[in-house]
Amino acid sequence: MPAFPEGTKSTTMTSGGRRKVHYTFPDESEMVEEFDVQTDALVVRKRRSRTLLGGQGEWSFEVGEPSARVTIEGDTLRPSAANPVLVRVDRPHAFEWRIRNLPYPKATYSVSIDHEQRQVVVRTANKKYFKRIDIADLDRARLPLEEEALSWTHEPAGAGTLVLTYRKPAPILKLEKELKLARHQQADEPVVAAGVGGEQPPDCKQQ
């Protein structure tokens, strides 16, 4: 199971307590991953592709969520505090999704797998919420979705959070171990990427 297409290029840099890896694929699409320097946990994974006119598309977040944007007037743009917000986080042995702002009792929720569409489906008995969730890692690896790998719970504190957990299959764990080894080997290589004015940025590596 190859990690990336042949011809993929990557650049690594460390700043703000995160190791950031930027991938450029042969089709000119991009992926950025950010890892906590202390724990090596994946904090952000986002992707974007070229538009039909050749421009850069919007970033799509697989893991983590965008930072709040600040307008010209200095106001911070955030989603409505009342709207459900879905965020994926990664655990060492599982994918996890947290859906905030779901205050309904636990018995209201139904979580299942749609094998035909290859998605996790969340719905509520009161029809207040419905969501289909892709597991991009399994799609890329062409691995089946398994009922026994999925579990969920509801945390009623605050506005309420529905927590979905999907246990990572062995091929994904093996791939992540290989990518981690390659990432750390790359981080130990000499700096070759030049910064503005010919100066080298701190801890920035390219391959």
Side-chain angles (χ1 to χ4, degrees), residues 1-11 21-27 29-33 35 42 45-47 62 137 140-141 175-176 178-180 182-183 186 207:
M1 182 171 59
F4 302 114
E6 184 177 353
T8 298
K9 299 178 182 179
S10 65
T11 301
V21 188
H22 181 276
Y23 298 92
T24 302
F25 302 111
D27 63 359
S29 62
E30 301 169 82
M31 180 176 77
V32 172
E33 292 183 321
F35 300 86
L42 177 63
R45 179 190 291 144
K46 57 184 180 180
R47 291 174 173 264
E62 282 187 14
D137 306 70
R140 287 191 290 267
L175 177 60
E176 290 183 347
E178 293 171 352
L179 290 174
K180 178 179 179 178
R183 187 170 68 250
Q186 180 181 356
Q207 72 175 18

Side-chain angles (χ1 to χ4, degrees), residues 33-84:
E33 292 183 321
E34 299 182 11
F35 300 86
D36 184 279
V37 171
Q38 298 298 323
T39 65
D40 202 42
L42 177 63
V43 180
V44 168
R45 179 190 291 144
K46 57 184 180 180
R47 291 174 173 264
R48 70 178 177 185
S49 301
R50 292 287 181 178
T51 66
L52 293 177
L53 297 178
Q56 293 179 332
E58 294 290 329
W59 286 108
S60 173
F61 281 72
E62 282 187 14
V63 179
E65 58 186 326
S67 301
R69 293 185 294 134
V70 179
T71 66
I72 297 177
E73 293 77 15
D75 295 328
T76 300
L77 296 179
R78 297 180 182 275
S80 169
N83 292 338

Side-chain angles (χ1 to χ4, degrees), residues 62-115:
E62 282 187 14
V63 179
E65 58 186 326
S67 301
R69 293 185 294 134
V70 179
T71 66
I72 297 177
E73 293 77 15
D75 295 328
T76 300
L77 296 179
R78 297 180 182 275
S80 169
N83 292 338
V85 178
L86 170 66
V87 178
R88 176 180 147 184
V89 296
D90 259 26
R91 305 303 182 193
H93 294 91
F95 307 120
E96 183 179 294
W97 297 265
R98 302 182 70 85
I99 311 176
R100 303 191 297 266
N101 299 331
L102 288 180
Y104 317 115
K106 185 176 181 179
T108 308
Y109 305 98
S110 171
V111 180
S112 61
I113 290 179
D114 183 334
H115 290 279

